[in-house]
Amino acid sequence: MVGTFVIDQILFFKIQERINKSLVQEMQEFRMLADGVNPETSKPFEDDIDSIFKVFLTSNIPDDDEFLVAILNGQIYRSSPIALPSWFKSDSYIVKALSQIKMAEEGEFSTPDGEVIYLAQPLIRGGKHGVFVVLHATSGERDEVSEAVVVIIKVSVIVTIAFSFFAWVVAGRVLKPLKLLTETTRSIGETDLTQRLPIKGADEISQLTITFNEMLERLETAFTSQRDFINDASHELRTPITIIRGHLELLGEDPQERQETIELVLDELDRMNRFVEDLLLLAKSEQPDFLNLEVVEINSLTLELYAKAKALAPRQWRLDAIASGRIRADRQRLTQAIMNLAENATHYTKEGDAISLGSDVRNNQVRLWVRDTGEGIPLSEQQRIFQRFARGLINHRRSNGAGLGLSIVQAIAEAHSGRIELFSRPHGGSTFTIVIPLKPIPKSTKRGNKNLLLHRTES
């Protein structure tokens, strides 16, 4: 009951606060109009009190249970809405009392319909005495508060009953989840990791169940990833092996034919070698010695990346921006990642298309990006392309890779505690951005007291 009373008082206080704000706003608008110009004539109102009341009351609509009233020479001149309560008529004591005020005032009075709050502003000009009054009847809001409190009481009772019943059920079956956990654990094997334990309650057993389900989720993901990796890797290796075997079996005595076959076999072996090296790189990315960290000047790194990228293919290479400063990172790995992105961009663009590189620092993060004006990547493909062995579906792509390039880029970014972002839309090009958080550089690696703040500069 105490809680219900407190809620009732808080709600009513909030309503009174809102009513007061509304009255003050209406009065401020009236004062601004009275001190301003007539919008109909674009001239000051001066002594024309009638026009002030007329313009304001015709252009303002009061809130619910709110009344705007103009009293002129002791009589109600205009009002909005036109229909006023029976207790507020020209011959009522309230109107007579308000028509006599000489200074702005606020207050409240009781009526048969409940309490009424008002603000009154006298207006004396040219021998005329007018009063503008804003009134608000609180009975409607009070009824709404009472209805809300009744609803709260009903809901509280229902919730209390339901919670008590639920607590009784849980208390009676407290050992059942533990038994179910034991039975399910015994039934789960390597061939079936899809089973999950039902979570009931919020006690220690439930926390154990959640932890166990999370472990099963990780195991299932690991086994699925391993199975897919083996299947995809075997498929990728089977293709070049089949090509090599087929051509060697059909190898003839013609010298030219033998030379062509040898070149084809060597090309397939090179592709297999690149594929194996990429797999080893991805495997090594999970080791602690994957990165060889050093202090890298972002300015020189960006220029170096741009110079190397220009040699990949005949495109309109551009340098968007260069960030100055230093970061602790693996220069070779970052170069490898950006070159992968740049080479990938050449596969999705044609000669004459633009490819841009740049670097920037904001929000305490270093950003290195490669942006192209190619066909773009459909939204449905933007998550898939970072998976191993995934390839884009653009028809004119000219890459014979195994689909590990973006996986390598992602692994390098994550090894730097960063991430890779992709912004792309069909026929609108793509922007791949490596985002790496800035980390403090030990004093021994700094050059004197040089300012290490990083900023963006225009190329």
Side-chain angles (χ1 to χ4, degrees):
M1 296 299 294
V2 175
T4 303
F5 175 77
V6 171
I7 293 175
D8 179 80
Q9 295 301 312
I10 291 175
L11 290 177
F12 190 68
F13 174 78
K14 292 293 184 181
I15 288 176
Q16 283 189 314
E17 188 178 43
R18 179 180 61 80
I19 291 174
N20 291 333
K21 288 182 179 179
S22 177
L23 296 180
V24 170
Q25 179 181 353
E26 293 287 356
M27 188 59 70
Q28 289 176 345
E29 293 177 357
F30 175 77
R31 290 168 179 167
M32 290 177 62
L33 177 67
D35 296 335
V37 297
N38 190 334
E40 297 179 355
T41 63
S42 299
K43 295 180 180 180
F45 286 102
E46 297 182 349
D47 298 337
D48 193 357
I49 297 179
D50 305 63
S51 297
I52 295 175
F53 287 151
K54 178 182 176 181
V55 170
F56 186 82
L57 293 177
T58 55
S59 60
N60 284 269
I61 300 176
D63 294 338
D64 294 340
D65 298 323
E66 188 175 83
F67 304 94
L68 308 178
V69 183
I71 302 175
L72 187 60
N73 296 327
Q75 299 292 321
I76 295 178
Y77 174 65
R78 285 179 176 271
S79 66
S80 179
I82 298 177
L84 295 174
S86 58
W87 44 263
F88 199 83
K89 300 296 183 182
S90 293
D91 57 349
S92 66
Y93 78 93
I94 299 175
V95 174
K96 292 180 180 179
L98 291 175
S99 64
Q100 301 300 319
I101 66 172
K102 304 298 183 181
M103 298 178 61
E105 69 175 45
E106 60 178 318
E108 60 180 70
F109 53 84
S110 299
T111 69
D113 297 334
E115 295 294 322
V116 175
I117 303 174
Y118 73 89
L119 289 181
Q121 173 66 49
L123 196 62
I124 304 174
R125 296 184 182 182
K128 294 182 178 181
H129 182 271
V131 180
F132 174 71
V133 185
V134 187
L135 307 102
H136 196 108
T138 62
S139 58
E141 281 81 358
R142 186 64 187 177
D143 292 340
E144 293 177 359
V145 170
S146 299
E147 292 177 1
V149 171
V150 170
V151 172
I152 292 173
I153 293 174
K154 292 180 179 179
V155 172
S156 300
V157 171
I158 294 174
V159 170
T160 301
I161 294 174
F163 182 78
S164 299
F165 176 77
F166 177 75
W168 176 76
V169 172
V170 171
R173 302 179 180 180
V174 66
L175 297 178
K176 187 175 181 179
L178 185 58
K179 181 179 179 181
L180 180 61
L181 175 63
T182 304
E183 294 176 352
T184 307
T185 304
R186 291 174 179 173
S187 64
I188 293 176
E190 180 180 340
T191 57
D192 182 17
L193 295 173
T194 60
Q195 295 189 52
R196 296 294 183 270
L197 300 177
I199 301 173
K200 297 182 179 180
D203 52 10
E204 289 78 5
I205 297 178
S206 300
Q207 295 299 321
L208 177 61
T209 304
I210 294 174
T211 303
F212 188 78
N213 284 342
E214 292 175 350
M215 181 191 69
L216 288 178
E217 190 75 29
R218 292 193 296 269
L219 286 175
E220 183 182 8
T221 301
F223 276 103
T224 301
S225 176
Q226 182 185 46
R227 183 174 59 252
D228 294 342
F229 179 81
I230 293 174
N231 293 338
D232 292 334
S234 62
H235 172 75
E236 293 294 335
L237 290 174
R238 187 182 298 115
T239 300
I241 291 175
T242 302
I243 294 174
I244 293 172
R245 175 179 294 175
H247 281 80
L248 290 179
E249 290 176 350
L250 300 176
L251 184 63
E253 298 296 332
D254 182 61
Q256 183 177 356
E257 179 183 352
R258 294 173 65 90
Q259 181 62 31
E260 293 176 353
T261 301
I262 292 174
E263 292 177 356
L264 185 145
V265 168
L266 291 176
D267 183 69
E268 289 298 315
L269 290 175
D270 288 339
R271 188 159 70 93
M272 291 176 62
N273 184 60
R274 290 195 303 272
F275 175 71
V276 172
E277 288 179 351
D278 289 344
L279 288 179
L280 292 175
L281 177 61
L282 288 173
K284 188 178 179 181
S285 66
E286 301 176 359
Q287 302 300 320
D289 60 345
F290 175 62
L291 298 180
N292 182 18
L293 297 177
E294 59 180 327
V295 178
V296 178
E297 295 284 348
I298 302 179
N299 187 303
S300 62
L301 175 63
T302 306
L303 294 175
E304 178 183 321
L305 294 173
Y306 177 67
K308 291 181 178 180
K310 289 194 297 183
L312 293 176
R315 301 289 188 272
Q316 293 186 20
W317 294 95
R318 299 172 181 173
L319 189 57
D320 285 342
I322 306 176
S324 61
R326 296 192 293 170
I327 183 176
R328 188 168 179 81
D330 189 321
R331 188 186 194 94
Q332 294 184 355
R333 294 302 185 195
L334 288 181
T335 301
Q336 182 181 12
I338 295 298
M339 289 301 100
N340 272 351
L341 294 177
E343 184 177 5
N344 192 61
T346 64
H347 297 154
Y348 287 90
T349 54
K350 301 177 183 179
E351 186 173 350
D353 288 344
I355 301 178
S356 304
L357 282 76
S359 60
D360 189 13
V361 173
R362 60 176 179 269
N363 300 327
N364 208 32
Q365 294 177 329
V366 179
R367 306 174 70 88
L368 301 168
W369 68 84
V370 176
R371 176 169 54 88
D372 65 67
T373 57
E375 291 294 326
I377 302 171
L379 183 61
S380 59
E381 292 289 310
Q382 292 184 14
Q383 292 293 332
R384 190 186 67 85
I385 61 174
F386 290 99
Q387 300 174 3
R388 295 181 181 182
F389 308 105
R391 296 185 178 90
L393 301 180
I394 303 302
N395 293 331
H396 66 264
R397 187 186 182 196
R398 299 175 295 279
S399 172
N400 60 352
L404 295 174
L406 292 179
S407 297
I408 293 175
V409 175
Q410 186 177 47
I412 293 174
E414 292 176 352
H416 285 84
S417 301
R419 65 185 185 278
I420 181 168
E421 297 178 349
L422 168 60
F423 175 78
S424 180
R425 57 182 183 274
H427 308 291
S430 303
T431 302
F432 289 86
T433 306
I434 296 178
V435 183
I436 301 175
L438 282 174
K439 297 180 180 179
I441 300 177
K443 293 183 179 180
S444 59
T445 63
K446 296 182 180 180
R447 299 178 181 177
N449 296 322
K450 183 178 179 180
N451 189 348
L452 298 180
L453 291 177
L454 305 179
H455 63 277
R456 178 173 179 171
T457 59
E458 299 297 332
S459 59

